[in-house]
């Protein structure tokens, strides 16, 4: 079984896990015994089964459509499954991406190969000149999104295996 790998430059080829739930608290992360400057936020959420999960929302976390997250919002957070993590309860993950749940909008975070098929073989991208391809800081991505970790936002897909879609937006998670 391929669990991806994490190289010395970042998270190329990593496998992503996700948690969907409702945000119940958001507080600035503490640095030592004092408050931080507000750049890193602890987001506490309750998942679908009532379990508590904490995500670190950093300046490098991509928030889909640049939505402002808030308490009471239903969201999905993605994290690297093979990244080091603190063994505490509730579990605490570094958020790679986050998205507010919205009707009709689907989001997939995964590594996409040379054929633009994700690592779980469940989604294939059909890119045309109208697809908006960006970096996490909203700049136009100048290369090919193939062989990168991507955040793909789309509205519909085929029922084939893998499903195919022409995405609304693709964000490249550069290493």
């Amino acid at each position: 079984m391929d669990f991806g790998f994490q190289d010395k430059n970042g998270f190329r080829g990593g496998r992503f896990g996700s948690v969907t739930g409702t945000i119940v608290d958001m507080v600035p992360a503490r640095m030592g015994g004092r408050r931080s400057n507000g750049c890193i936020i602890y987001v506490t959420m309750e998942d679908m089964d009532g379990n508590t999960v904490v995500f670190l929302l950093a300046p490098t976390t991509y928030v889909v459509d640049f939505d402002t997250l808030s308490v009471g919002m239903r969201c999905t957070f993605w994290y690297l499954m093979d990244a080091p993590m603190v063994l505490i309860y509730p579990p605490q993950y570094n958020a790679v991406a986050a998205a507010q749940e919205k009707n009709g909008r689907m989001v997939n975070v995964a590594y996409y190969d040379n054929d633009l098929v994700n690592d779980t073989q469940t989604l294939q991208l059909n890119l045309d000149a109208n697809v908006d391809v960006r970096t996490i800081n909203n700049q136009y991505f100048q290369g090919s999104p193939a062989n990168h970790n991507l955040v793909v936002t789309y509205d519909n897909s085929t029922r084939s295996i893998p499903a195919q879609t022409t995405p609304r937006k693709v964000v490249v998670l550069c290493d």
Side-chain angles (χ1 to χ4, degrees):
M1 179 175 245
D2 176 23
F3 289 100
F5 66 93
Q6 184 171 1
D7 72 4
K8 64 182 173 140
N9 297 320
F11 49 80
R12 184 179 38 174
R15 293 296 271 312
F16 295 93
S18 66
V19 177
T20 299
T22 302
I23 297 174
V24 295
D25 195 23
M26 296 178 74
V27 296
R30 291 184 177 264
M31 304 301 277
R34 59 184 195 277
R35 287 244 181 236
S36 74
N37 62 6
C39 288
I40 299 173
I41 299 170
Y42 283 112
V43 178
T44 304
M45 66 184 304
E46 189 173 291
D47 73 8
M48 309 290 278
D49 297 322
N51 299 310
T52 300
V53 182
V54 177
F55 285 94
L56 265 72
L57 191 65
T60 56
T61 304
Y62 175 68
V63 179
V64 174
D65 293 338
F66 298 98
D67 289 336
T68 301
L69 304 180
S70 61
V71 172
M73 192 176 279
R74 188 167 162 73
C75 297
T76 299
F77 285 81
W78 288 266
Y79 61 93
L80 273 170
M81 292 172 55
D82 58 353
M85 65 177 273
V86 181
L87 296 176
I88 60 172
Y89 183 83
Q92 181 177 302
Y93 303 103
N94 293 320
V96 172
Q100 178 184 3
E101 294 288 306
K102 291 185 178 178
N103 286 338
R105 178 178 77 181
M106 292 176 265
V107 179
N108 181 259
V109 179
Y111 178 80
Y112 283 78
D113 66 16
N114 199 46
D115 296 320
L116 292 172
V117 176
N118 68 4
D119 56 6
T120 57
Q121 306 290 304
T122 57
L123 188 63
Q124 181 173 12
L125 307 182
N126 297 319
L127 299 183
D128 61 26
N130 297 321
V131 176
D132 193 14
V133 181
R134 304 281 183 131
T135 61
I136 65 168
N137 64 359
N138 207 33
Q139 302 306 302
Y140 288 109
F141 184 72
Q142 301 297 320
S144 168
N147 298 311
H148 284 90
N149 291 307
L150 305 176
V151 179
V152 177
T153 306
Y154 60 104
D155 299 321
N156 53 47
S157 64
T158 65
R159 291 184 176 217
S160 60
I161 298 175
Q164 295 183 30
T165 188
T166 300
R168 189 178 71 188
K169 186 174 188 176
V170 174
V171 174
V172 180
L173 300 173
C174 297
D175 292 340

